[in-house]
Amino acid sequence: MNKKSLYLILIAFSVISITAKNYKITPVNIDFNGVISIDDNVVIYGSNGYYYYSEDGAKTWEERKILEQANVKKILEYNNDLYGIIEDGYLIKSTDKGNSWIVKKYDKDSIDKFIAMDVDNEKFFVRSIDKIIEFNLDLEYESHFSDSILFYSEFQGKHNPLYAREFLSYHNNKLFIPLTDRNFMLLSDDYQYKKIKKISECNSALTDKKPFLTGLDYLNDSLMVKIEIAGKVEQYIFLIGNGNYEENWKLIPLDSSLFINFNAYDNSIYGIGRDLGLTGDFDKDWKFHFGIPKTTYLNKYDLAKDTLEIVGNKYYSYYKLGTVQTDEIGANYSGYYDMYDIGPYFINDSTIICVGRSKFIFISYDMGKNWELQSFIDGTPNIIFDDNNYVNSGILSSYTSNGGMTYTPQKIVDTTACHYCRFTYHHLTFISPEGKGFYFGIPEFDNYSNIGFTQDSGKTFEFKSTLDFYSKTFKFGTNFALIGDEYVTVQNRLTTPSNPQLPYKWVSMMFKFNKDDFSQYTREFLDTSKYKYYYIFPKDKNSFTEVLQFIEPNHPDDQYLEIRTTTDNGETWETNHKIKNYSNVYKFYEHNKDSLFITSYELTYYSGIDYMNRVYLYDRTRNELDTLFIEDDVERSNLQVVYFDNNFYLMGENLLKIGNSDLTEWSDVPNWPTENPSFKEVIFNDNVLIAKYNDEIRVEKNFNLNNYYKIVADEITSVEVPKVVLRTYSAYPNPATNIVKAELYWESGFDIKESIKGVYDINAKLVANRNEIKLINSDNYAGTIEWNCSSHQSGLYFIVIEHGNNRQSIPIMIVK
């Protein structure tokens, strides 16, 4: 048989014109920069050009877009309107409480950034990279003030969310402009009377100190500045400025290692407090990371009474949240964030909200008595169940059930058996369709591997750490394959022999987990001096295929991709294919029970550096390995085969191709919305795709966000030929043995029965005509088809339906 094999026949029948498809691209992750509200209308704004909008006092949210890829730095309320700035030099205004926005570009000169703003007394001031600019309330330019001392150093403020130069205050006809975190400049609203003053000069008690500015707000119509004392990081104090901010400022020494951030409200200062839960045992505190709070609560400092009290109840953090700073650049990056970047913000007399990096939303609706962690996304996308439900893997994990609007962090059920209940290095995450699964990885500050088990699709995990696991870091592992009653995976590690003249050796262990109780497992060492294990491809309890990398011990440059099969549960093996391949980067996609796509990125050094990218298909039915795609002299280490929107795609770095009917040719994707799309990591399910993605618009410039986007193929909006609605859905049960069904939807007005062409095998031969297919539960636009396949042999078949120019097929696997 030629390359029109089982999976290719599927393509031949199911491909339809996609020239009219629209691809909706939305960010998976957003860093929230702040909150603003008018009455019950609430806006949470931040990066990527998106904001969250609520009309019911922060109880429900909509995700909306202001401007593509915009970083909304600040939004403030003035006279019942909202005013704001976008980092790239845009002004925004809403006259309907955040429901819609006016966006205007500042084009008086080239500008790198808008970094701070304030609005008051009918004036709107913006701080740019090197000047102060005045606008009127219609967003029209009025004037500006420029001075070299204003220059904003991005390097100085790159990793500090409270960098002083990102503040600007306009109040009582005065401009308060921090120049560094140690001093500030005062100007009148017409830029006169320039005065530079050090923070240490604001109060005599600070004369010999080294205070620095970390925040500001207004209290009782006076500017309030939060400062910290150098050398005493945990001592937070406040300065309250008088009317002209030139005389002595009132100093409020607040005992409080408790305030993470603050907001002024109703003659009081509110901040989020935390208990660190220190044990006094340095080794234990370090292992459990002493910077992670165990409880969270709201603090109130009453200015008139000079008292500090806890408001409401303490919130116990099962989620182990806090300030976590991992390697910001390295491959182990996961969840660099500050839990309380912005907040607490009072929406009304009872509702308090804190927001921050990574879609962090923390809300109390009853003045701190009860708290809800509504969202925090940690790590990178890992598993898609459907359009609404998917999992992220990171130091912890995050689960969304509403398509990425909000994320629930993984809840740790039991930590008693855990040496360190977070991962710094993940090997594998597996969750079955039934919601059972686990993490597999190495924790930080520990030599023991950890396994975290879940019974609810990753919402909660119970960790185990045991000496049965290998005590050193594995480099990578295979997939989890269900073989009989056990899920099987092989974990690989590269060791250095004691004799430096000898080559490296691969050591692997096979883990077998009981499918009904993952905590029941066994392990065995494999003799793998010549092998690295990549993939396990099961058929039944005794028969499965392995994909390995074969390395000659005495010639480490002699590498082969090997596919071998066993029919006696691993007692003996037959090598099916062995091809020369120098790749250390493989990706796999098991399209169905008998077809496995393999992509490889090869790098050789013979006669210079040579790059080669290949795509293979291993078809178990034919026991053949086909080469579908070869590309020379191009470095694409992230090449992947993706099945998305009923088509096969090749996605990689600066590569997006769609296959023809038999995948022997690949062409550019029509109607993709942007130029030069680049995909580094891709996971997919049906018509939902999540990718680490960039193009000419979505430039990867924020390492915290990692540029993950959800891409959905919208319905057809227009076509060059008359539109015919015909939609088919997956068959069930599949695989089938007797009766198989599938749902159809069509444009009312034609006879769907006449459009059913019949059932075809993998050779496109008709094996059952339309009369053998029943149409049940039918009305004028929807119904269910039913086929009795009991008399047909095992294999892949297709129910073909055609109306006008619309031709679709429903694949069915028969297993006897």
Side-chain angles (χ1 to χ4, degrees):
M1 183 183 296
N2 61 21
K3 290 183 179 178
K4 291 182 180 179
S5 61
L6 62 132
Y7 75 100
L8 303 174
I9 295 294
L10 170 61
I11 292 300
F13 282 136
S14 66
V15 162
I16 61 174
S17 172
I18 63 170
T19 55
K21 285 287 183 181
N22 292 321
Y23 296 90
K24 184 179 180 182
I25 304 174
T26 57
V28 169
N29 199 356
I30 297 172
D31 276 353
F32 291 136
N33 294 331
V35 185
I36 194 70
S37 66
I38 301 176
D39 301 324
D40 283 338
N41 296 67
V42 186
V43 172
I44 303 179
Y45 56 89
S47 62
N48 296 98
Y50 284 73
Y51 70 102
Y52 276 22
Y53 179 68
S54 173
E55 294 182 331
D56 56 9
K59 292 182 174 62
T60 60
W61 300 98
E62 296 178 35
E63 187 177 56
R64 299 187 178 183
K65 182 168 65 176
I66 296 180
L67 183 68
E68 191 72 53
Q69 290 304 105
N71 185 23
V72 184
K73 293 286 290 184
K74 191 75 174 179
I75 298 177
L76 295 173
E77 184 270 336
Y78 179 72
N79 285 348
N80 221 36
D81 290 333
L82 297 178
Y83 297 85
I85 56 171
I86 291 173
E87 187 174 55
D88 292 334
Y90 289 86
L91 305 169
I92 59 176
K93 178 180 179 179
S94 175
T95 59
D96 54 9
K97 303 179 182 181
N99 185 54
S100 62
W101 294 88
I102 301 167
V103 181
K104 187 171 183 179
K105 176 70 174 177
Y106 172 72
D107 55 5
K108 292 296 181 182
D109 56 16
S110 61
I111 190 167
D112 291 325
K113 284 186 176 182
F114 280 168
I115 58 177
M117 64 155 287
D118 205 355
V119 58
D120 189 33
N121 196 28
E122 303 299 307
K123 290 191 175 184
F124 181 9
F125 287 96
V126 176
R127 183 172 187 173
S128 76
I129 203 79
D130 61 356
K131 61 178 67 71
I132 305 297
I133 311 168
E134 180 187 347
F135 300 90
N136 63 31
L137 298 188
D138 292 324
L139 310 186
E140 299 291 340
Y141 168 81
E142 295 285 338
S143 62
H144 76 272
F145 170 76
S146 181
D147 193 305
S148 60
I149 200 171
L150 293 173
F151 182 75
Y152 174 89
S153 172
E154 184 177 10
F155 175 77
Q156 287 177 288
K158 187 173 183 181
H159 301 307
N160 189 343
L162 298 177
Y163 183 60
R165 292 198 185 195
E166 296 195 358
F167 294 127
L168 169 68
S169 171
Y170 172 58
H171 198 53
N172 291 340
N173 299 319
K174 286 285 192 299
L175 286 165
F176 176 90
I177 308 167
L179 301 176
T180 68
D181 55 6
R182 302 289 189 186
N183 57 57
F184 60 90
M185 180 167 63
L186 285 174
L187 291 177
S188 65
D189 57 6
D190 57 358
Y191 313 120
Q192 301 299 312
Y193 190 63
K194 180 171 67 172
K195 183 174 184 178
I196 298 175
K197 193 169 186 177
K198 293 181 180 179
I199 297 291
S200 58
E201 297 172 349
C202 291
N203 188 285
S204 59
L206 301 175
T207 302
D208 298 326
K209 310 294 183 183
K210 295 181 179 180
F212 56 94
L213 180 154
T214 61
L216 59 83
D217 200 353
Y218 295 102
L219 184 62
N220 294 341
D221 203 35
S222 294
L223 179 65
M224 180 174 61
V225 179
K226 186 177 100 171
I227 62 176
E228 296 180 12
I229 303 298
K232 296 182 179 180
V233 178
E234 299 300 332
Q235 182 179 352
Y236 295 79
I237 58 180
F238 293 86
L239 288 167
I240 304 295
N242 59 18
N244 57 24
Y245 306 136
E246 296 165 20
E247 306 298 330
N248 195 44
W249 293 49
K250 180 180 179 181
L251 181 66
I252 304 175
L254 189 58
D255 177 24
S256 133
S257 56
L258 302 177
F259 275 50
I260 308 301
N261 212 322
F262 81 102
N263 203 339
Y265 182 75
D266 192 25
N267 200 38
S268 297
I269 303 171
Y270 289 85
I272 295 296
R274 65 184 182 186
D275 286 337
L276 300 182
L278 298 180
T279 67
D281 183 330
F282 178 80
D283 181 65
K284 189 172 183 180
D285 287 341
W286 178 251
K287 184 173 291 186
F288 284 89
H289 209 293
F290 55 82
I292 300 175
K294 299 293 179 63
T295 56
T296 305
Y297 45 86
L298 183 69
N299 268 328
K300 173 185 176 181
Y301 174 74
D302 189 308
L303 187 64
K305 298 178 182 178
D306 192 24
T307 57
L308 178 67
E309 61 178 326
I310 294 176
V311 178
N313 299 318
K314 291 188 175 183
Y315 169 82
Y316 181 75
S317 176
Y318 291 94
Y319 306 101
K320 306 299 178 191
L321 293 176
T323 301
V324 179
Q325 298 182 11
T326 58
D327 185 355
E328 297 171 2
I329 299 174
N332 292 344
Y333 161 78
S334 177
Y336 175 90
Y337 67 97
D338 291 312
M339 183 177 180
Y340 308 115
D341 278 357
I342 297 95
Y345 181 89
F346 285 81
I347 294 173
N348 49 50
D349 288 337
S350 59
T351 305
I352 310 161
I353 181 169
C354 304
V355 299
R357 299 184 184 182
S358 301
K359 281 192 177 178
F360 178 77
I361 305 175
F362 191 51
I363 295 182
S364 173
Y365 297 104
D366 52 13
M367 198 60 177
K369 293 180 181 178
N370 296 282
W371 289 90
E372 294 182 14
L373 179 59
Q374 290 195 355
S375 182
F376 173 71
I377 178 173
D378 180 44
T380 59
N382 183 267
I383 299 171
I384 299 179
F385 297 111
D386 54 45
D387 186 19
N388 289 316
N389 297 271
Y390 41 91
V391 175
N392 281 31
S393 296
I395 292 178
L396 305 175
S397 73
S398 301
Y399 183 90
T400 181
S401 59
N402 54 17
M405 271 289 296
T406 58
Y407 290 81
T408 302
Q410 163 202 305
K411 184 175 180 179
I412 299 174
V413 176
D414 180 19
T415 62
T416 56
C418 177
H419 282 262
Y420 189 74
C421 298
R422 299 185 308 162
F423 292 136
T424 188
Y425 187 91
H426 289 81
H427 304 305
L428 204 57
T429 301
F430 172 77
I431 299 177
S432 70
E434 297 76 28
K436 296 181 179 180
F438 43 77
Y439 276 151
F440 197 7
I442 297 295
E444 197 174 9
F445 311 126
D446 212 324
N447 289 325
Y448 295 97
S449 296
N450 265 357
I451 287 188
F453 299 94
T454 183
Q455 301 289 327
D456 53 12
S457 300
K459 298 181 183 68
T460 60
F461 268 85
E462 179 180 359
F463 279 79
K464 280 197 172 184
S465 183
T466 170
L467 289 171
D468 287 344
F469 284 87
Y470 204 68
S471 61
K472 298 295 182 181
T473 303
F474 295 106
K475 292 295 182 182
F476 55 86
T478 68
N479 61 312
F480 282 92
L482 181 59
I483 302 176
D485 294 328
E486 296 176 310
Y487 280 99
V488 177
T489 181
V490 177
Q491 302 289 307
N492 303 271
R493 178 176 176 260
L494 183 64
T495 63
T496 305
S498 57
N499 185 345
Q501 302 303 316
L502 296 177
Y504 290 96
K505 178 181 179 180
W506 285 96
V507 175
S508 302
M509 281 196 306
M510 178 179 287
F511 293 89
K512 297 181 179 180
F513 297 86
N514 185 288
K515 71 174 184 178
D516 297 319
D517 184 1
F518 287 153
S519 64
Q520 300 298 315
Y521 62 88
T522 60
R523 64 158 193 166
E524 59 183 87
F525 283 96
L526 303 177
D527 182 10
T528 57
S529 59
K530 297 182 180 181
Y531 290 110
K532 293 180 285 185
Y533 288 78
Y534 288 126
Y535 207 84
I536 302 174
F537 198 32
K539 183 176 183 181
D540 54 44
K541 183 175 182 179
N542 296 311
S543 303
F544 52 92
T545 300
E546 291 182 342
V547 182
L548 312 93
Q549 186 84 8
F550 177 86
I551 305 173
E552 287 286 355
N554 296 324
H555 302 281
D557 289 333
D558 292 337
Q559 300 186 28
Y560 296 86
L561 182 67
E562 182 173 335
I563 300 177
R564 66 181 189 178
T565 300
T566 181
T567 57
D568 54 14
N569 199 25
E571 294 294 328
T572 60
W573 295 90
E574 178 183 353
T575 297
N576 307 117
H577 301 279
K578 189 176 181 180
I579 59 174
K580 193 83 170 179
N581 195 301
Y582 298 96
S583 179
N584 283 315
V585 181
Y586 291 96
K587 291 187 178 181
F588 302 89
Y589 167 46
E590 188 176 332
H591 178 57
N592 56 43
K593 191 175 180 181
D594 289 308
S595 61
L596 181 71
F597 289 96
I598 306 170
T599 67
S600 72
Y601 157 65
E602 300 179 40
L603 177 62
T604 63
Y605 294 91
Y606 299 114
S607 302
I609 301 177
D610 295 323
Y611 300 100
M612 181 176 289
N613 305 286
R614 298 186 189 182
V615 179
Y616 304 100
L617 169 73
Y618 174 66
D619 181 354
R620 194 208 320 249
T621 303
R622 298 179 294 129
N623 192 24
E624 292 197 13
L625 184 69
D626 294 323
T627 302
L628 303 179
F629 179 82
I630 298 178
E631 184 182 45
D632 294 330
D633 299 325
V634 178
E635 186 177 5
R636 300 195 197 278
S637 59
N638 297 296
L639 185 63
Q640 186 169 343
V641 178
V642 171
Y643 187 65
F644 170 62
D645 189 35
N646 295 322
N647 294 279
F648 280 104
Y649 295 83
L650 292 182
M651 293 183 172
E653 295 171 326
N654 301 308
L655 180 71
L656 173 60
K657 299 286 186 181
I658 187 171
N660 67 344
S661 60
D662 61 4
L663 301 191
T664 56
E665 296 180 4
W666 300 87
S667 57
D668 293 336
V669 176
N671 207 45
W672 194 262
T674 59
E675 299 292 330
N676 303 315
S678 185
F679 303 82
K680 294 187 178 180
E681 299 172 14
V682 183
I683 61 174
F684 55 95
N685 181 293
D686 297 329
N687 72 324
V688 181
L689 181 149
I690 298 178
K692 190 173 183 181
Y693 174 83
N694 59 67
D695 52 32
E696 76 274 12
I697 295 174
R698 297 160 186 86
V699 180
E700 188 172 13
K701 59 184 178 181
N702 190 334
F703 62 86
N704 293 321
L705 297 183
N706 274 337
N707 266 40
Y708 282 93
Y709 291 85
K710 182 170 74 170
I711 301 172
V712 177
D714 288 346
E715 297 294 332
I716 293 176
T717 55
S718 63
V719 290
E720 296 177 357
V721 294
K723 179 180 178 182
V724 176
V725 176
L726 173 60
R727 189 177 183 116
T728 62
Y729 289 85
S730 300
Y732 61 92
N734 200 7
T737 56
N738 296 306
I739 301 296
V740 63
K741 298 179 182 181
E743 294 180 355
L744 308 177
Y745 294 86
W746 62 87
E747 182 180 24
S748 61
F750 68 83
D751 186 355
I752 190 65
K753 183 67 176 178
E754 294 300 316
S755 299
I756 300 173
K757 299 305 177 184
V759 182
Y760 294 79
D761 64 13
I762 61 174
N763 296 310
K765 178 182 177 182
L766 182 69
V767 298
N769 60 41
R770 68 163 62 101
N771 295 327
E772 298 178 57
I773 301 174
K774 295 180 181 180
L775 184 62
I776 60 177
N777 302 325
S778 176
D779 53 32
N780 63 347
Y781 65 90
T784 303
I785 56 174
E786 178 182 282
W787 178 45
N788 188 335
C789 60
S790 59
S791 62
H792 295 271
Q793 297 179 351
S794 296
L796 186 62
Y797 297 83
F798 306 92
I799 299 177
V800 178
I801 303 171
E802 185 176 44
H803 183 79
N805 66 311
N806 199 334
R807 181 181 176 90
Q808 297 193 27
S809 68
I810 304 171
I812 298 167
M813 177 66 69
I814 298 178
V815 177
K816 297 295 182 66

